[in-house]
Each structure stands twice: as C-alpha cells, then as structure tokens.
Amino acid sequence: MTKLQSHGREPFETVDRAPEAQAEGFATVRQAHESEMAEDYVELIAELIETRGEARPVEIAERLGVKPPTVTKNISRLKAAGLVRREPYRAIFLTDSGQELAEACRQRHRIVVAFLCSLGIDEETAERDAEGIEHHVSETTLVAFGQALKQSWKHE
Amino acid sequence: MTKLQSHGREPFETVDRAPEAQAEGFATVRQAHESEMAEDYVELIAELIETRGEARPVEIAERLGVKPPTVTKNISRLKAAGLVRREPYRAIFLTDSGQELAEACRQRHRIVVAFLCSLGIDEETAERDAEGIEHHVSETTLVAFGQALKQSWKHE
DNA sequence: GACAAAAGTTAGACATGGCTAACTTATCTA
DNA sequence: TAGATAAGTTAGCCATGTCTAACTTTTGTC
Ligand SMILES: [Mn+2]
Ligand SMILES: [Mn+2]
Ligand SMILES: [Mn+2]
Ligand SMILES: [Mn+2]
C-alpha cells in the first residue's frame, strides 16, 4: 500500500477554505444555473431534430415536463440569445452557435452518463442524476471522467 | 479483455428514453433546485457554528458571496421551514431537523469532494464542482461514489 | 455614557422560470 | 372546403433569489 499514487487526504475531513474561495464556488454554481435552461433546451432541440426530423414546442414541453406556454417563453429567450431561429407557429431550428452549444452539451451529457454507468449505477439513475450534474462539471472534471472511463474499459 | 465486469454499452451513444422518463428526470432536477438554498445554508451554518462558535449573517453573506439582505430574507425562509431558530439581530441556530439536514449535507459534500479528488482532480476544482454536483447526486450514486472511494484506497 | 462604526433589517425593484385561462393559427378529416 | 381538433401564443399571475438604498439596532471606543 504505497502512498505514491495517493491523491491525498483523509476522505471525510472538511476542507476549510478561505471565505473568498468558498464564495467563488457558490458564484460558479449560480452562474451554472443561469445557463442551465439554455443548455437543456438546445440539447433537446438537437436531439429532436435528429430523431424526429424537427423540434416542435409540444414535444419539447412533453419531454421537459413543462407546459407549452413555458416553452414559448423560453424559446423566445433563446432566440434573443441568438441560439435559435424560428417563426411563430413553426418548428424550431438552431443557429450555428446554438448547434455548437448543443453538440458540446450532448457530448458532456453522454460522458457524464457513461461515467456514472461505469461506476455500476443503473442507466435510469445515471440519466436522472446526469441531467443535473452535467451543468456543474468543469472542463477539468469532464476530462477526468473521460480518463476514468477509458480506465474502466481496460479492466472490463 | 473479458466482458464480465462490463457495466455495458458504448460510452458515447445517446440513450433514447421514453418522454415520460425524460420528463421525470428534468422534474427531479427542478426539485433539487428547490432544496438547494436550504441545503447550502444549513451546511454553512453548521460549519460556522463548529469553527467559529456561532453563525452570523455577515459571515454567511461573505462565504456565500451574496449581500446581507439576501441572507436575512433566506434565513427567514429557513425559519418558516423549521430549519433554523433565531431572534432578530442575533446569531443563527439550527433546529433539530436543521441539524439533521446539515449533517447529511456535510457528509454528502465531503464524499463528493473526496470522490472527485480520488479521480486526480485538484482540491480547488473538486470543491467548486462539488458545490453544485452534490445537490444532484441520488442516494444510489452517493453509495457508488463511496464504493469507488474505498476501491481507490486499496490501490494507493 | 456618548457617539461612531459595524451589523442587521426593511422596503421595493428586477430577472428567471414556472403556471392557468383565453385566444389564435394550423392541421386533419369528413 | 367547412368544421373540429391540435398546436401555439398571449396575458397575467406567482415563487424564488438576487440586488440597492435607507433605516434600526448592536457593539466597541474614548
Ligand atoms: Mn441538464
Ligand atoms: Mn442533458
Ligand atoms: Mn451546494
Ligand atoms: Mn456544499
């Protein structure tokens, strides 16, 4: 039991951090919440276009578990943010920047799900937890998940 | 390269799920967001009481990175929810149920941080990501993190 | 003990993301 | 092609969690 590969510390001690560092952490979480709606929408829209040919508000509402007016309102926010293109009463399309965001989100989502599954978590739970977790995974952590995933392949 | 221990699937394929299942996932995330404020506050209050002797609004504000009026408002919500006991202009205490929630949250927070660190992620990043991730980790996933952590000790 | 500084609260504003009810537009079908 | 049904929008409501400005209370200092 060498200490060489240790990433260190006893696992259950509370790290005490400088107040500013802690505050920065909470600020990061609040920021993540601000992008969350956009990320989930573009991700879903991309999936619907791919699998259903088009993205319709009814279906977005159904899959998000919200009511149609909520979708209308949020879609116009996405349009204002330049992520989506569309005319009233018609299907929804992604702009280039929307497409780009969607791809990144889908990729991240898939990695998080696969990583959780590689820990032995059932797919349903993995999907559920990933839907929230994904928005709080930094690039660093995403890379670490990817690495761990590769490791898990070797050992199977 | 046996398939015995495989937890299955190619890692980068999109799982397609029934609309209701997907909707339930998003509903779970929305629910998690509703408890998030309470969880972060009681956790922080418990830590402040432990390390500083008492929990004062200024310090809560400083560590959360918000302004004092935000803390005042949220503390009265926690009081209404029966998590906190306090009189105006005085320090804040946890009720039994607040204490209980705080302990669970601290434990979960520590496990998530330790787990991320065990993947080789630096502590600062681990803390930052954990602050958001913790609220979306189901019991199942928390247990899996704990297990993986135990494994990582064996191999170090 | 008075007064200045620090801490805390109150009031009122704002953005976000839900909702229902009522209306409009598009699509389907007889 | 008319009428019915489904889809989508609009208007207006609500809760949450943030803020600033102004006020009150407590604390510390001389
Ligand atoms: Mn999500
Ligand atoms: Mn997702
Ligand atoms: Mn948190
Ligand atoms: Mn936490």
Side-chain angles (χ1 to χ4, degrees):
Chain A
M1 203 190 296
T2 164
K3 227 87 206 304
L4 281 178
Q5 287 301 341
S6 177
H7 301 299
R9 345 173 1 297
E10 292 301 319
F12 298 111
E13 79 199 16
T14 295
V15 182
D16 53 316
R17 316 163 68 206
E20 320 80 48
Q22 199 169 359
E24 215 195 293
F26 285 111
T28 300
V29 175
R30 287 190 295 268
Q31 270 184 260
H33 285 156
E34 283 177 28
S35 10
E36 192 161 338
M37 184 274 283
E39 291 174 356
D40 286 335
Y41 272 71
V42 298
E43 188 182 343
L44 179 54
I45 290 165
E47 276 171 15
L48 288 173
I49 291 173
E50 193 170 290
T51 67
R52 314 293 302 253
E54 58 177 14
R56 284 277 171 190
V58 236
E59 195 134 0
I60 295 173
E62 190 190 4
R63 294 186 112 97
L64 290 175
V66 301
K67 301 294 178 186
T70 300
V71 172
T72 297
K73 189 178 285 191
N74 286 335
I75 292 295
S76 40
R77 284 171 184 162
L78 297 185
K79 191 177 174 180
L83 294 169
V84 131
R85 193 160 26 82
R86 84 101 137 217
E87 284 128 299
Y89 297 98
R90 312 295 297 279
I92 293 147
F93 302 91
L94 294 171
T95 62
D96 287 353
S97 100
Q99 185 66 44
E100 200 177 334
L101 179 60
E103 283 318 313
C105 290
R106 292 182 73 185
Q107 177 74 358
R108 188 185 57 185
H109 185 112
R110 286 185 299 242
I111 291 175
V112 174
V113 170
F115 172 72
L116 293 177
C117 286
S118 80
L119 259 29
I121 295 165
D122 63 285
E123 197 164 273
E124 196 53 37
T125 301
E127 278 289 348
R128 257 227 294 254
D129 289 7
E131 200 53 77
I133 289 174
E134 55 180 0
H135 308 283
H136 303 281
V137 168
S138 62
E139 193 55 39
T140 299
T141 296
L142 193 62
V143 168
F145 282 7
Q147 300 270 308
L149 208 41
K150 272 200 282 184
Q151 277 309 106
S152 82
W153 298 340
K154 287 200 200 137
H155 297 305
E156 73 182 27
Chain B
M1 201 193 294
T2 164
K3 223 92 203 307
L4 281 179
Q5 287 299 342
S6 175
H7 301 299
R9 339 172 9 290
E10 292 301 318
F12 297 111
E13 79 199 15
T14 296
V15 182
D16 53 316
R17 318 164 67 206
E20 321 78 50
Q22 202 171 357
E24 214 195 294
F26 285 110
T28 300
V29 175
R30 287 190 296 267
Q31 268 184 261
H33 285 157
E34 283 177 28
S35 8
E36 194 161 336
M37 184 274 284
E39 292 174 355
D40 286 335
Y41 272 70
V42 297
E43 189 181 341
L44 179 54
I45 290 166
E47 276 170 16
L48 288 173
I49 291 173
E50 193 171 290
T51 67
R52 314 293 302 253
E54 59 177 10
R56 284 277 172 188
V58 237
E59 194 134 1
I60 295 173
E62 190 190 4
R63 296 187 110 96
L64 290 175
V66 300
K67 301 295 178 188
T70 301
V71 172
T72 298
K73 190 177 284 190
N74 286 334
I75 291 297
S76 40
R77 284 171 185 162
L78 296 185
K79 190 178 174 181
L83 294 169
V84 132
R85 194 161 26 82
R86 84 104 135 213
E87 286 128 298
Y89 297 96
R90 314 293 297 278
I92 294 147
F93 302 91
L94 295 170
T95 62
D96 287 352
S97 100
Q99 185 66 46
E100 200 177 335
L101 179 60
E103 283 316 314
C105 289
R106 293 182 73 184
Q107 176 74 354
R108 190 185 55 184
H109 185 111
R110 288 186 297 242
I111 291 175
V112 173
V113 170
F115 173 71
L116 293 178
C117 286
S118 81
L119 259 29
I121 295 164
D122 62 285
E123 198 164 271
E124 195 54 36
T125 301
E127 279 288 349
R128 257 229 295 256
D129 289 8
E131 200 53 78
I133 289 175
E134 57 181 359
H135 308 282
H136 304 280
V137 167
S138 62
E139 193 56 39
T140 300
T141 295
L142 193 62
V143 168
F145 282 7
Q147 299 269 310
L149 208 40
K150 272 199 282 182
Q151 277 309 109
S152 82
W153 298 339
K154 284 199 202 142
H155 296 306
E156 78 183 25

